[in-house]
Structure formats: C-alpha cells, structure tokens
Amino acid sequence: LYVNDMARRFLASAGGGDGFQTVPSMRDLIMDPLDLDRMYEMILRDGRVDRYELFARRPGKSGRHLMLSAVKVDVDGVPAVMTGVFDITERKRLEADLERLANTDTLTGLPNRNRLFAQAERILDQLRASKKPLCTMLIDVNGMSALNGAH
C-alpha cells in the first residue's frame, strides 16, 4: 500500500496509530457497502473510475463526502489500483444550503413557489400516467405581511 501524506493521516486516524496494521479495510470506511462494489465493477469493466461521489466515515469521527477517481495500474508486475480522493464535504454542504435557499421561503421556512410548482408537476405526471382523476384547489392569501408582523 503506497499512500501520500494526506491519505496516511486519514487512514492512520481511521485505525488509531501511525501504522497500517490497524487501518480498517475500505469496506469499513465506506458508508454504503454498494459503493465499493460499484467501484470494483467499474474498475473491472472500464479499467477506471472517474469522479465517483461517496460518503465515508472513520471510527469515532464524523463522516465525509468524498470524490474518488481510480485507475488500474501495474506495479512491478502486480495489478494495483491508483486512487485519488478529494474531500468534497464543504461543497456538499454548500449545495444543500443553495438547494434549501432555492426551494424555501426564507421568512417562513415553508416551500416556496418554485418548489410548489415542481412538486405539482411531478404529481401531475404521476396522475397522468395512472389516469386517475384529480381535483385541485389554490388559495391566494392576501395580507400576509400583517400576519408576519411587517407593515
């Protein structure tokens, strides 16, 4: 196992200590066991994995969102996998914040008009496919600023 300093720190903290004798296997670090299987399948099929996003955890630590790329290589005649891993936890947090802001009224915390119409469109598509009848009612509430305390 050859790793750079950043990987060494991540793996050592996962197993507790400086050596790799106590480092857990990749299966122990991956939250969704299907992720590792999917990556192995891609390596076997395509010889590489490009920008695969997954969630990993280290025992006793909070989980991290990671983006992984890997390629099959040959090291002194032995098949191996060279992997690059990027921590995208902060990016995922920002994406979640942006999605919340895009779909939620900041004053009330309720779904906004964009989210309402997106959900309505999805429901309408399902109803069209099932050919079930539909009845809708929209209520336009005037004077919301008085309810919110703004004048």
Side-chain angles (χ1 to χ4, degrees):
L1 178 65
Y2 302 99
V3 297
N4 64 13
D5 289 338
M6 184 177 283
R8 182 175 277 103
R9 285 191 301 273
F10 181 84
L11 292 171
S13 66
D18 296 328
F20 291 106
Q21 298 82 2
T22 59
V23 171
S25 73
M26 284 299 287
R27 285 209 182 276
D28 295 329
L29 292 172
I30 306 298
M31 291 295 271
D32 183 349
L34 294 177
D35 278 328
L36 197 55
D37 293 336
R38 286 183 198 114
M39 289 186 294
Y40 282 146
E41 286 173 18
M42 286 182 222
I43 291 278
L44 291 174
R45 183 187 65 230
D46 306 326
R48 64 184 314 112
V49 174
D50 290 313
R51 296 178 304 242
Y52 189 92
E53 293 186 14
L54 57 92
F55 188 77
R57 65 170 164 72
R58 297 172 289 167
K61 303 272 185 171
S62 62
R64 308 296 292 176
H65 291 275
L66 304 175
M67 184 186 313
L68 180 141
S69 292
V71 63
K72 282 185 1 184
V73 295
D74 188 69
V75 178
D76 298 327
V78 177
V81 177
M82 182 171 57
T83 307
V85 179
F86 300 94
D87 188 335
I88 58 170
T89 303
E90 181 63 13
R91 187 191 89 187
K92 289 299 215 181
R93 186 191 64 74
L94 290 172
E95 286 174 359
D97 287 349
L98 286 173
E99 184 167 340
R100 181 183 48 77
L101 287 170
N103 293 302
T104 307
D105 178 79
T106 55
L107 183 61
T108 65
L110 295 172
N112 65 13
R113 182 181 307 210
N114 292 336
R115 187 166 169 198
L116 169 71
F117 286 124
Q119 287 176 331
E121 191 64 40
R122 190 173 56 249
I123 291 168
L124 286 171
D125 287 344
Q126 291 171 350
L127 287 170
R128 282 185 198 110
S130 69
K131 298 187 191 256
K132 292 184 179 177
L134 169 69
C135 178
T136 61
M137 179 173 64
L138 288 174
I139 300 172
D140 185 9
V141 180
N142 292 318
M144 281 300 290
S145 60
L147 291 173
N148 291 329
H151 299 285

